[in-house]
Amino acid sequence: MSLVIIFLTIIVTLIVIFKLRLKFSFGWCQSQKCLSGKTVIVTGASTGIGFETALNFAKRGAKVILACRNYDRAAKARRLIIEKTDNTNIYVKLIDLGSFESVKGFTRDINQNEDRLDILVNNAAVAQTDQRKSKDGYYLGMQVNYFSLFLLTNLLLELMQKTGSARIVNVSSAVAKLAFRVDFSDICKNFEDLNMYCRTKLYIILFTKELARRLKNTTVTTYSVHPGAVKIDGCKTTTMWWIFDSIRNWFSKTAEEGAQTSIFCSLEKNIEMYSGRHFEDCRVVGDYNTVGVSGLQETLWDMTEKLVGIKQEEQIYRNENCGDSFLLHFYKNIRM
């Protein structure tokens, strides 16, 4: 019996230490920045990290646009944010990232009716690993997590550049480290198990790096973030799953804690020099090994641009000092 008590004491102590580290370490955004007069968009803002990110912006006085697929859940989130902040400048706008037409309709609305866009947080994602396809014929997980993020961001860039100093934060994940056999010749292929999800998170990091390069001479900066392991509502249909989820969640961040790095990259002063870099726990980190292959980011951008149907006038051209990579020429020659 005494061994059981000792074991439980050790477990509880480890949990307490882990939680205290989150609360008092560099993993918490300390910015006091006011967002009065600023406009922000958060995708997937009805629950979880997206909701907590939007709530934080609302507390700072921002006009917050909740970009969500489900109106009822988004409207509920809006009511809760207003109740918690007394900020009534909160709006729901529908967007289905599984449809390019929906993304284009959303951006037309924003570009026509908003005079500025200071912060865009691309938070929405699905852990899609099955064979379901989107309305556009792509695997749903790939389109929601990456293709539509690419399209949405590109179509809002002109407004952000007109705004002046603006930031784009792309929520990725450390699972990008696990992406394997990266070959853009099969970018539209379905991948079994978690490989598709891992690839989409890798593509987000590569997209962020290339976007930063193309925006080098502008006042718009961009960052990718790993939010950490965050509590989720798992499958609790059996006692075993309930125990598994409970133990996992003990060692996971809350949604509020998971939102901190997104908030940090949206608000923190003097991080413009890190545009294109990846952040964890509110600090910049080195590139994952899967990211450091020369030419990947340019090649991925070039192929994605055509897959999502970006028009020539909507393209962001490369800085004149940055030439195409050998790999990019290779893929161009293939298509010709």
Side-chain angles (χ1 to χ4, degrees), residues 181-187 199 203 293-304 306 318 324-336:
R181 296 196 304 271
V182 177
D183 176 3
F184 294 146
S185 65
D186 60 3
I187 190 173
R199 280 182 177 232
Y203 295 165
V293 180
S294 177
L296 277 184
Q297 65 195 51
E298 296 168 314
T299 303
L300 178 63
W301 182 291
D302 188 63
M303 298 189 74
T304 308
K306 292 175 172 55
R318 295 167 178 76
D324 289 349
S325 68
F326 169 80
L327 194 58
L328 182 58
H329 282 299
F330 175 74
Y331 276 100
K332 281 183 175 178
N333 291 334
I334 288 178
R335 286 196 304 277
M336 292 173 63

Side-chain angles (χ1 to χ4, degrees), residues 90-335:
I90 314 298
Y91 301 88
V92 171
K93 289 188 180 291
L94 294 181
I95 181 172
D96 178 3
L97 295 175
S99 164
F100 291 152
E101 187 55 42
S102 177
V103 173
K104 292 175 181 178
F106 175 88
T107 56
R108 280 195 298 268
D109 180 9
I110 297 296
N111 288 321
Q112 291 172 5
N113 296 298
E114 301 297 331
D115 58 4
R116 65 183 303 124
L117 178 55
D118 300 88
I119 300 169
L120 169 63
V121 178
N122 287 310
N123 167 81
V126 294
Q128 191 69 41
T129 60
D130 61 26
Q131 299 288 320
R132 279 187 292 167
K133 291 193 174 183
S134 71
K135 297 176 182 177
D136 300 287
Y138 298 113
Y139 288 103
L140 190 62
M142 185 65 72
Q143 178 156 340
V144 171
N145 293 5
Y146 171 63
F147 289 157
S148 286
L149 177 152
F150 181 100
L151 180 62
L152 174 69
T153 304
N154 272 274
L155 296 182
L156 292 176
L157 277 174
E158 184 177 356
L159 177 59
M160 299 192 81
Q161 292 186 48
K162 289 178 180 177
T163 299
S165 179
R167 293 188 182 182
I168 300 163
V169 177
N170 299 317
V171 179
S172 180
S173 171
V175 300
K177 298 176 183 178
L178 304 178
F180 58 91
R181 296 196 304 271
V182 177
D183 176 3
F184 294 146
S185 65
D186 60 3
I187 190 173
C188 296
K189 177 183 174 183
N190 187 42
F191 299 94
E192 61 284 346
D193 302 324
L194 289 177
N195 196 21
M196 178 187 289
Y197 182 75
C198 296
R199 280 182 177 232
T200 64
K201 295 305 182 179
L202 171 62
Y203 295 165
I204 289 171
I205 295 174
L206 292 169
F207 162 68
T208 304
K209 289 173 71 69
E210 180 63 10
L211 178 61
R213 189 178 75 87
R214 291 166 182 250
L215 294 173
K216 183 177 179 181
N217 297 321
T218 75
T219 56
V220 181
T221 55
T222 181
Y223 315 89
S224 61
V225 305
H226 167 54
V230 178
K231 290 181 180 179
I232 61 173
D233 293 327
C235 174
K236 298 182 179 179
T237 56
T238 67
T239 302
M240 182 177 294
W241 272 110
W242 185 89
I243 294 173
F244 174 78
D245 285 344
S246 298
I247 294 173
R248 180 194 58 200
N249 285 338
W250 286 344
F251 292 95
S252 298
K253 295 180 179 181
T254 65
E256 181 184 13
E257 291 164 348
Q260 293 306 305
T261 306
S262 295
I263 296 167
F264 176 89
C265 288
S266 299
L267 306 176
E268 188 67 16
K269 295 179 181 179
N270 303 320
I271 63 168
E272 290 80 6
M273 69 183 75
Y274 297 117
S275 184
R277 298 289 299 278
H278 191 58
F279 283 73
E280 296 180 9
D281 280 328
C282 299
R283 63 188 178 97
V284 66
V285 296
D287 285 343
Y288 301 153
N289 290 337
T290 46
V291 176
V293 180
S294 177
L296 277 184
Q297 65 195 51
E298 296 168 314
T299 303
L300 178 63
W301 182 291
D302 188 63
M303 298 189 74
T304 308
E305 200 170 55
K306 292 175 172 55
L307 284 169
V308 304
I310 293 287
K311 298 177 183 177
Q312 185 174 4
E313 62 270 20
E314 296 167 337
Q315 295 176 355
I316 308 173
Y317 292 99
R318 295 167 178 76
N319 297 322
E320 58 182 10
N321 295 327
C322 298
D324 289 349
S325 68
F326 169 80
L327 194 58
L328 182 58
H329 282 299
F330 175 74
Y331 276 100
K332 281 183 175 178
N333 291 334
I334 288 178
R335 286 196 304 277

Side-chain angles (χ1 to χ4, degrees), residues 14-66:
L14 289 174
I15 293 172
V16 170
I17 291 173
F18 183 79
K19 290 298 184 182
L20 287 175
R21 176 187 175 276
L22 283 173
K23 294 294 185 182
F24 299 108
S25 72
F26 45 72
W28 201 266
C29 179
Q30 303 295 335
S31 174
Q32 301 299 312
K33 185 174 182 178
C34 174
L35 293 178
S36 179
K38 309 292 187 182
T39 300
V40 306
I41 293 175
V42 182
T43 66
S46 60
T47 59
I49 294 174
F51 172 81
E52 293 294 341
T53 303
L55 176 63
N56 188 284
F57 293 155
K59 289 178 180 178
R60 298 170 187 270
K63 176 180 181 179
V64 182
I65 296 172
L66 311 179

